[in-house]
């Protein structure tokens, strides 16, 4: 069982990725970059629940960040967006508030770094857990075996491998650098007055000592219930890559 868990399952995971990429090529799928106004991006927190013969189980939350469809204003773009598992509604709000502040206030408004879950991070985490188990007089080998059986090291190795080898091949050389060049200030998209006023009100609330959990529905509280609801024209899109990698 240990060999099945530690050898066969990772091999199946790698094989699934290769099969998925092959099917994409046969189906002619392509990647595309869509430029959308930040004001039209939507965040949704959902709660999922599995049902078993014994009753409800597997309750969890997810944060969805959805870009609008460039051809159908008012709809989300099918197959796009980001989906992140979170521990609860409060964590979803925290994740979204960090993203919002980064987009509206800049990188200085958010923490400088986050865990990258690389092999180096995994080794540091094991060292930290070893010290904790020694302080508490608990056997560390049980914890380490549990993480090994959960494929913790493999997950960190595979994450690092994808970042260093897989993702660079999926992106045309120099594409990110070209796309990331700063636009002239006269070409910057301007937020609506409603959104700008909401941002000022939220910033003032933070300066008064309130937290995002105290604010509640900010559109209703600050009198801008229709902020971001004005219909927008279609957006342009640009091919992501000539190949279907």
């Amino acid at each position: 069982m240990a060999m099945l868990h530690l050898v066969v399952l990772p091999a199946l995971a790698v094989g699934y990725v290769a099969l998925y990429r092959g099917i994409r090529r046969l189906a002619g799928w392509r990647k595309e970059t869509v430029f959308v106004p930040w004001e039209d991006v939507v965040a949704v927190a959902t709660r999922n629940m599995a049902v078993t013969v014994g009753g409800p189980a597997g309750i969890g939350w997810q944060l969805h960040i959805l870009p609008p469809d460039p051809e159908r204003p008012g709809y989300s773009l099918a197959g796009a967006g980001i989906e992140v598992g979170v521990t609860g509604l409060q964590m979803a709000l925290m994740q979204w508030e960090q993203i919002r502040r980064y987009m509206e206030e800049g990188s200085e408004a958010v923490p400088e770094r986050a865990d990258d879950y690389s092999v180096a991070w995994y080794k540091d985490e094991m060292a930290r857990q070893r010290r904790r188990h020694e302080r508490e007089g608990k056997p560390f080998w049980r914890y380490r075996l549990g993480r090994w059986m959960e494929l913790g090291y493999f997950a960190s190795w595979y994450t690092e491998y994808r970042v260093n080898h897989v993702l660079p091949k999926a992106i045309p050389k120099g594409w990110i650098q070209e796309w990331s060049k700063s636009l002239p200030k006269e070409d910057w998209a301007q937020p609506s007055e409603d959104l700008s006023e909401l941002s000022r009100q939220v910033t003032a609330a933070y300066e008064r000592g309130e937290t995002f959990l105290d604010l509640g529905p900010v559109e209703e509280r600050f009198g801008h219930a229709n902020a971001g609801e004005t219909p927008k024209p279609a957006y342009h899109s640009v091919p992501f890559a000539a190949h279907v990698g």
Side-chain angles (χ1 to χ4, degrees):
M1 289 299 295
M3 290 298 295
L4 173 67
H5 194 74
L6 299 175
V7 178
V8 177
L9 293 183
L12 290 176
V14 175
Y16 169 79
V17 173
L19 177 63
Y20 176 75
R21 289 170 63 88
I23 293 175
R24 287 183 53 138
R25 290 191 181 95
L26 291 175
W29 292 0
R30 57 177 285 174
K31 294 179 181 179
E32 196 173 26
T33 300
V34 179
F35 299 91
V36 301
W38 163 246
E39 190 171 345
D40 292 350
V41 175
V42 176
V44 180
T46 60
R47 182 171 60 179
N48 303 318
M49 181 172 61
V51 179
T52 68
V53 293
I59 300 176
W61 286 82
Q62 287 184 315
L63 173 65
H64 308 266
I65 302 176
L66 307 173
D69 191 316
E71 303 297 334
R72 300 185 305 159
Y75 292 84
S76 297
L77 184 61
I82 301 173
E83 184 177 290
V84 181
V86 292
T87 56
L89 179 59
Q90 179 174 341
M91 179 61 69
L93 292 171
M94 292 170 63
Q95 293 267 5
W96 172 246
E97 179 62 1
Q98 177 168 302
I99 295 170
R100 185 198 70 80
R101 294 197 65 181
Y102 174 84
M103 293 298 294
E104 297 184 14
E105 302 176 32
S107 58
E108 64 277 2
V110 298
E112 294 184 0
R113 67 175 298 274
D115 295 332
D116 58 7
Y117 300 105
S118 62
V119 173
W121 172 88
Y122 178 84
K123 291 179 178 179
D124 289 343
E125 176 65 13
M126 289 300 102
R128 188 180 69 83
Q129 290 295 337
R130 179 190 291 275
R131 293 191 296 269
R132 183 177 71 85
H133 279 72
E134 290 175 351
R135 288 196 306 270
E136 298 176 359
K138 298 179 181 179
F140 173 70
W141 68 268
R142 291 183 179 177
Y143 177 87
R144 190 181 188 93
L145 179 62
R147 301 295 78 74
W148 183 260
M149 294 298 292
E150 293 173 354
L151 303 179
Y153 182 86
F154 172 77
S156 293
W157 173 85
Y158 188 59
T159 298
E160 188 171 312
Y161 175 80
R162 284 183 57 82
V163 170
N164 294 333
H165 301 284
V166 178
L167 295 181
K169 294 179 181 179
I171 301 174
K173 187 176 181 179
W175 184 88
I176 289 184
Q177 291 80 356
E178 181 67 25
W179 181 84
S180 301
K181 287 182 179 178
S182 299
L183 292 173
K185 194 168 184 179
E186 58 270 17
D187 292 341
W188 290 5
Q190 300 300 318
S192 68
E193 183 56 35
D194 280 344
L195 182 63
S196 299
E197 179 60 24
L198 279 175
S199 296
R200 287 192 289 269
Q201 295 280 9
V202 171
T203 300
Y206 285 153
E207 292 174 350
R208 293 193 298 269
E210 297 186 59
T211 69
F212 69 93
L213 293 176
D214 300 324
L215 294 178
V218 293
E219 294 91 345
E220 297 177 8
R221 174 173 175 179
F222 299 121
H224 295 271
N226 296 322
E229 297 298 328
T230 305
K232 306 294 194 307
Y235 315 119
H236 73 283
S237 58
V238 177
F240 181 82
H243 60 287
V244 191

